[in-house]
Amino acid sequence: MAWDTEATKGRILDAATAEFVAHGLHGTTIERIARRASVNKERIYNYFGGKPALFAEVLRSKVAEGVGSVAFTGAAVEEVADFAERLVAFNRSRPDLIRLLAWEALAYTDEVPDESARVEMYRRRTEALAAAQDDGALTNAFAPEMLHVLLLSLAGYGALLPHVVRMVTGLSPDDEHYRAAVVEAARRLATP
Amino acid sequence: MAWDTEATKGRILDAATAEFVAHGLHGTTIERIARRASVNKERIYNYFGGKPALFAEVLRSKVAEGVGSVAFTGAAVEEVADFAERLVAFNRSRPDLIRLLAWEALAYTDEVPDESARVEMYRRRTEALAAAQDDGALTNAFAPEMLHVLLLSLAGYGALLPHVVRMVTGLSPDDEHYRAAVVEAARRLATP
DNA sequence: CATGATTGCAACGCAGTCGTTGGAAATGGG
DNA sequence: CCCATTTCCAACGACTGCGTTGCAATCATG
């Protein structure tokens, strides 16, 4: 056991992620992060520079991971349905990332950390959708970036406001029926 | 100028709403609320009992107002489109209520304050949608409560995550094109 | 193995924030 | 006009969290 800076940084980042996901920027304390990472507070200031900076770093490293890990490929309506299905499944498997996205939206009113990289990821998916539209396999009723954000809306809402889904439908957003409805809705939006 | 308890309570509640909307439960301080309401801290503890209780009270009194103020009436596809349009317009006119909804989702994992009243409001709208479906004017592809929550998803996402809409589309969620896409999407979901 | 540089940490000062309290000011009934 | 009651508030103690500092432990090098 010795001098492993990177591992320590990683432990801090993981602990910070867990705490920020659960309690947001103001709700978490540096001390709890330090305890969870089995590290001294001072390390956190030394490595990351303070709570807001650490929060931004968590967003930078984790949220992009979420956006990047569900791609759209293909050109037919069924592939849009599949895309929606994978989005919902991803949101279900990583509820922490959606919560981070929500904390982020509430914390930053104008620009978010590392915005240009995020824009680039979204742009790539939009292009794939646009190509499918050009093939005539998808509707042209929506501009590709609009279709993109509408699909994100359908797939993300349940993860963002699970309690609203529960109050409206009586079901958990994890429920099979809810998932199926989202997929069917995506199919309808994409059909020419 | 004299003894107006109710007015004082109201000022506190308004000030608390503004602060909680902006900073969430942990980000706001009782002292700022008191200053904003031109009131002494002690009044807040006396009337509302503490920060979490005041937060819950704000949610109780304000969020229901948001849910209740956009009704669905009618029986045709165009009325669903109109409903979606009014939802978006409402979200745009009262961004504070959506933010409260988001803070609420992040703060409470299981039950929210005054849940049964909220459920009742949602139920009424679901019934109106169900009636329209029974008329055959709307699709039966979705259970009415699913259609309901899908419409909420389309209309609410831009208000919840405006920065995502901006990154994906380059537009503000206030933009006319975005609004039009949401309405068209609602129309597509509702069409038989 | 001696020395300088790097990494780890316990303890501290400081700046709020919470929630309370003792008492002053305002009110209205007798 | 007086007294009990209600409303208001400035000041306080206790605590918590932030960010820093001084020092010890660990490593790399010659």
Side-chain angles (χ1 to χ4, degrees):
Chain A
M1 181 86 80
W3 230 237
D4 195 342
T5 308
E6 285 312 307
T8 302
K9 282 188 185 178
R11 279 212 318 284
I12 292 173
L13 211 61
D14 287 345
T17 302
E19 291 291 329
F20 284 135
V21 161
H23 308 111
L25 173 55
H26 294 290
T28 82
T29 71
I30 296 284
E31 191 148 354
R32 272 211 309 271
I33 295 173
R35 264 206 305 275
R36 186 191 273 256
S38 304
V39 131
N40 191 278
K41 271 197 322 178
E42 178 271 352
R43 282 299 85 194
I44 295 175
Y45 289 99
N46 199 324
Y47 287 149
F48 296 95
K51 195 157 67 151
L54 178 55
F55 185 60
E57 181 57 34
V58 165
L59 294 177
R60 225 187 318 276
S61 65
K62 302 285 174 177
V63 177
E65 172 194 341
V67 176
S69 66
V70 181
F72 173 74
T73 54
V77 169
E78 270 318 301
E79 273 133 3
V80 171
D82 181 63
F83 173 59
E85 178 138 28
R86 282 180 292 119
L87 276 179
V88 175
F90 183 80
N91 287 338
R92 179 166 51 180
S93 70
R94 299 298 307 276
D96 52 330
L97 296 184
I98 282 276
R99 282 179 68 93
L100 277 183
L101 205 61
W103 289 120
E104 177 185 78
L106 291 166
Y108 300 88
T109 53
D110 28 312
E111 181 123 341
V112 300
D114 212 20
E115 173 145 340
S116 60
R118 299 263 292 280
V119 169
E120 177 56 22
M121 296 183 131
Y122 287 124
R123 198 188 56 72
R124 254 193 287 262
R125 276 201 312 220
T126 298
E127 302 255 310
L129 285 166
Q133 286 182 313
D134 287 346
D135 284 359
L138 302 186
T139 179
N140 277 310
F142 303 106
E145 66 275 12
M146 290 299 172
L147 182 58
H148 189 176
V149 80
L150 292 171
L151 294 172
L152 293 179
S153 307
L154 292 171
Y157 193 82
L160 281 168
L161 301 183
H163 70 307
V164 171
V165 173
R166 192 188 60 230
M167 288 189 276
V168 173
T169 69
L171 302 176
S172 152
D174 290 346
D175 189 281
E176 180 62 19
H177 295 89
Y178 174 70
R179 188 196 55 74
V182 168
V183 172
E184 175 58 20
R187 206 182 331 260
R188 287 198 156 219
L189 292 192
T191 303
Chain B
M1 181 88 77
W3 231 238
D4 195 344
T5 308
E6 285 312 306
T8 303
K9 282 188 185 177
R11 280 212 317 285
I12 292 172
L13 211 60
D14 287 346
T17 301
E19 292 290 329
F20 284 135
V21 161
H23 308 112
L25 174 56
H26 295 289
T28 83
T29 70
I30 296 284
E31 190 148 354
R32 272 212 309 272
I33 295 173
R35 263 206 306 276
R36 187 190 273 254
S38 306
V39 131
N40 191 278
K41 271 196 322 177
E42 178 271 352
R43 282 298 86 195
I44 297 174
Y45 288 100
N46 198 323
Y47 287 149
F48 297 96
K51 196 157 66 151
L54 178 56
F55 185 60
E57 181 57 33
V58 166
L59 294 177
R60 224 186 320 275
S61 65
K62 302 287 175 177
V63 177
E65 172 193 341
V67 176
S69 66
V70 181
F72 173 74
T73 55
V77 169
E78 269 319 299
E79 273 133 4
V80 171
D82 181 62
F83 173 59
E85 178 139 28
R86 283 180 292 120
L87 276 179
V88 174
F90 183 80
N91 287 338
R92 179 167 51 180
S93 70
R94 298 297 307 275
D96 51 330
L97 296 184
I98 282 277
R99 281 178 69 93
L100 277 183
L101 206 61
W103 289 121
E104 177 184 77
L106 291 167
Y108 300 88
T109 53
D110 28 312
E111 181 122 340
V112 299
D114 213 21
E115 174 146 339
S116 60
R118 297 263 293 280
V119 169
E120 176 57 21
M121 295 183 133
Y122 287 124
R123 198 189 56 73
R124 254 192 289 262
R125 276 202 312 219
T126 298
E127 302 255 312
L129 285 166
Q133 285 181 314
D134 288 345
D135 285 358
L138 302 186
T139 179
N140 278 311
F142 302 106
E145 67 273 13
M146 290 298 174
L147 182 58
H148 189 175
V149 80
L150 291 171
L151 294 171
L152 293 179
S153 307
L154 292 172
Y157 193 82
L160 281 168
L161 301 182
H163 70 306
V164 171
V165 173
R166 193 187 60 231
M167 289 190 275
V168 173
T169 69
L171 301 175
S172 154
D174 290 345
D175 189 281
E176 181 63 18
H177 295 88
Y178 174 69
R179 188 196 55 73
V182 168
V183 172
E184 174 58 22
R187 207 184 328 262
R188 288 198 155 221
L189 291 193
T191 301

